[in-house]
Amino acid sequence: AQKITQTQPGMFVQEKEAVTLDCTYDTSDQSYGLFWYKQPSSGEMIFLIYQGSYDEQNATEGRYSLNFQKARKSANLVISASQLGDSAMYFCAMREGRGSSNTGKLIFGQGTTLQVKP
Amino acid sequence: DSGVTQTPKHLITATGQRVTLRCSPRSGDLSVYWYQQSLDQGLQFLIQYYNGEERAKGNILERFSAQQFPDLHSELNLSSLELGDSALYFCASSVPTGGLSSYNEQFFGPGTRLTVL
């Protein structure tokens, strides 16, 4: 069964430093997508970055990058130059399937709370 | 602003009652997803509609039901409410599924926070 595991319930990072949030996944499907979302205290879910299982290069979006290690089934989020506004809950999510089998539903991990210290 | 709207933002009700949560997807998005976020269960997929038809079902209770209307807005109906139904309910929308890529970013609405007293 598909599963997402985030083993870090909470993390601290100093402002301007980089931080890595861990995510491992389990799936028997060859085609899948991995997502990271940010949820600030206000509650909304903000899409950050996407990595497809067939993408050869690690995804990057501004200060966010995804360290994708397919053999290890890990998809860690790296935030460079942390800012105070990065303090939030971060969720890793996976969607399985391709084409007609792809319903699009996301399976989420339990989340990691990141606090950026000034 | 994701372009997905949800009403109401907050809802406080009593056990045994019935409520309806409403979602309007982004313009042009045919798929609507409902998720529940609670302290106990985390973020869980409930149900998906695609162009008016149910497409996938997750851990949705029998007391809960949903539908998607011809104008593509969706409603999630929760009945015989229990204390444990208190949660943040998200609606998300995306471009049509079933494409060649597994990439379909889901745009989340601001959520409806339901409190059952």
Side-chain angles (χ1 to χ4, degrees):
Chain A
Q2 50 187 309
K3 187 179 179 182
I4 293 282
T5 302
Q6 293 180 255
T7 57
Q8 306 153 314
M11 292 274 291
F12 288 93
V13 64
Q14 206 67 36
E15 192 178 9
K16 299 181 184 177
E17 292 186 351
V19 62
T20 298
L21 306 184
D22 294 342
C23 171
T24 58
Y25 59 92
D26 190 18
T27 178
S28 57
D29 207 316
Q30 295 300 310
S31 175
Y32 50 89
L34 296 158
F35 301 76
W36 278 91
Y37 282 85
K38 172 184 178 182
Q39 186 178 38
S41 58
S42 51
E44 71 266 34
M45 294 288 287
I46 302 167
F47 166 76
L48 295 178
I49 197 167
Y50 164 84
Q51 179 83 42
S53 59
Y54 292 111
D55 294 342
E56 294 185 353
Q57 294 197 346
N58 288 341
T60 60
E61 288 286 349
R63 295 187 298 111
Y64 304 108
S65 60
L66 202 152
N67 184 1
F68 181 47
Q69 298 188 44
K70 196 170 181 176
R72 294 186 178 183
K73 292 189 174 179
S74 75
N76 298 338
L77 176 70
V78 180
I79 305 175
S80 63
S82 297
Q83 301 172 356
L84 296 178
D86 293 334
S87 294
M89 177 87 87
Y90 289 81
F91 289 95
C92 179
M94 177 174 66
R95 187 185 55 240
E96 286 185 335
R98 172 189 284 259
S100 61
S101 68
N102 182 2
T103 65
K105 69 178 184 183
L106 294 177
I107 305 298
F108 286 88
Q110 289 298 100
T112 295
T113 300
L114 176 67
Q115 292 194 30
V116 180
K117 293 183 173 180
Chain B
D1 186 352
S2 67
V4 179
T5 59
Q6 287 188 250
T7 56
K9 193 170 176 61
H10 299 278
L11 196 48
I12 301 174
T13 188
T15 54
Q17 295 299 305
R18 173 190 170 94
V19 297
T20 297
L21 313 183
R22 182 188 169 102
C23 166
S24 292
R26 294 188 321 153
S27 177
D29 285 356
L30 302 180
S31 273
V32 168
Y33 309 81
W34 287 97
Y35 294 89
Q36 178 195 57
Q37 184 178 26
S38 64
L39 288 175
D40 293 344
Q41 302 294 329
L43 257 168
Q44 286 198 106
F45 167 73
L46 295 179
I47 196 165
Q48 177 202 359
Y49 277 81
Y50 174 69
N51 203 19
E53 294 190 1
E54 184 183 303
R55 182 74 185 269
K57 227 171 185 176
N59 297 324
I60 187 166
L61 299 171
E62 286 191 10
R63 301 183 285 109
F64 296 1
S65 65
Q67 55 184 328
Q68 186 179 27
F69 295 86
D71 66 353
L72 299 178
H73 90 271
S74 178
E75 293 181 357
L76 179 66
N77 301 296
L78 316 176
S79 61
S80 302
L81 285 168
E82 302 175 0
L83 296 177
D85 298 328
S86 296
L88 185 54
Y89 291 85
F90 285 107
C91 165
S93 75
S94 71
V95 295
T97 58
L100 295 178
S101 169
S102 62
Y103 173 75
N104 272 328
E105 175 189 345
Q106 289 187 18
F107 297 88
F108 280 74
T112 293
R113 186 168 294 281
L114 174 66
T115 303
V116 182
L117 301 175

